[in-house]
Amino acid sequence: MKETTIIRIRRGTGPARYCACDDKGNPIMGFAKLSDIRKRWNYEIKLGLVKLVRELDKEPDKETISSTIKCLNEILKTYAGKGK
């Protein structure tokens, strides 16, 4: 049998009120309502493949977010420079 994936529900950043994160706290997707999160993984929850864990007192791992943004900015700068 396949191992259960844990999705941690944390406070969102920006326009999303809630953020679904992987087991390490890295953000997966933002949501406006808690019910939207359950709807997104409803089928997988019924099969026992996904377990939702509420951690509304925590935020997503911002270090990962900022490093990803830095990488994307560098890529965009590189492509913008080649177009000139």
Side-chain angles (χ1 to χ4, degrees):
M1 180 156 217
K2 189 167 176 156
E3 187 175 321
T4 303
T5 302
I6 296 175
I7 297 178
R8 301 187 181 279
I9 311 305
R10 296 184 174 180
R11 279 187 289 158
T13 56
R17 189 168 179 186
Y18 302 101
C19 186
C21 301
D22 65 8
D23 200 28
K24 295 179 182 178
N26 300 319
I28 299 171
M29 190 181 298
F31 294 90
K33 299 185 290 185
L34 287 172
S35 61
D36 292 340
I37 299 169
R38 184 164 290 285
K39 287 177 191 173
R40 166 63 180 87
W41 284 284
N42 189 34
Y43 183 69
E44 291 85 353
I45 292 169
K46 286 182 181 179
L47 292 177
L49 300 175
V50 170
K51 180 179 178 184
L52 299 180
V53 177
R54 288 187 188 187
E55 295 181 340
L56 299 177
D57 58 333
K58 296 182 180 179
E59 292 185 355
D61 184 9
K62 291 186 179 179
E63 184 177 324
T64 304
I65 295 170
S66 62
S67 66
T68 303
I69 290 172
K70 286 179 186 176
C71 290
L72 290 173
N73 283 334
E74 292 301 318
I75 292 169
L76 292 173
K77 285 178 188 176
T78 302
Y79 281 111
K82 288 183 179 180
K84 293 182 180 180

